[in-house]
Amino acid sequence: HVQLVESGGGSVQAGGSLRLSCAIPGYYVSIDCMAWFRQAPGKEREGVAAIYTGSDITYYADSVKGRFTISRDNAKNTLYLQMNSLKPEDTAMYYCAATTRWCGESSWKRVSHFDYWGQGTQVTVS
């Protein structure tokens, strides 16, 4: 069982920045794809960004392109999401996800594609 642990959420004014972190135990399985999802109250969970570790190809939802950056630190087994120019509509619970499978243009957006999840960290933009 892989337990992912997110941190870095909080409250920020519109236009501000936050950086989310996700600690991923490196000794369990070989993770090929990692992603950030978010879920606002009353809405479905949606993919925000993903990174395929084989080539470091990144994917972003249209709503966050140019504002969010996904990255990873292999030495620390940590995934990051740098969020700039935050908007009220970015308010949601943010979840880290990982899978041992490859992720592509469409698969990365599917909740069912990921096997491991964190407990979530709240981001509130006012």
Side-chain angles (χ1 to χ4, degrees):
H1 179 70
V2 177
Q3 182 64 50
L4 310 181
V5 181
E6 302 101 334
S7 61
S11 296
V12 66
Q13 291 189 337
S17 298
L18 283 173
R19 188 176 80 157
L20 305 183
S21 299
C22 174
I24 302 175
Y27 53 90
Y28 285 101
V29 295
S30 174
I31 298 297
D32 275 358
C33 180
M34 298 180 281
W36 289 97
F37 283 73
R38 66 186 181 187
Q39 187 167 19
K43 294 188 177 181
E44 293 188 353
R45 192 170 296 192
E46 63 172 357
V48 175
I51 184 166
Y52 171 52
T53 62
S55 60
D56 275 345
I57 290 176
T58 56
Y59 305 96
Y60 294 93
D62 288 343
S63 59
V64 306
K65 278 180 182 176
R67 300 188 299 122
F68 290 10
T69 302
I70 188 171
S71 62
R72 64 190 182 105
D73 184 328
N74 288 339
K76 297 181 179 178
N77 287 329
T78 301
L79 179 72
Y80 301 101
L81 184 69
Q82 178 66 44
M83 305 185 295
N84 298 328
S85 302
L86 282 161
K87 304 175 181 180
E89 50 262 46
D90 295 317
T91 295
M93 185 72 78
Y94 282 72
Y95 298 91
C96 173
T99 180
T100 58
R101 291 172 283 181
W102 170 82
C103 58
E105 286 279 358
S106 59
S107 61
W108 78 268
K109 301 175 186 177
R110 297 200 298 265
V111 170
S112 60
H113 189 70
F114 293 86
D115 306 303
Y116 310 110
W117 292 85
Q119 79 290 349
T121 185
Q122 178 67 38
V123 171
T124 302
V125 185
S126 59

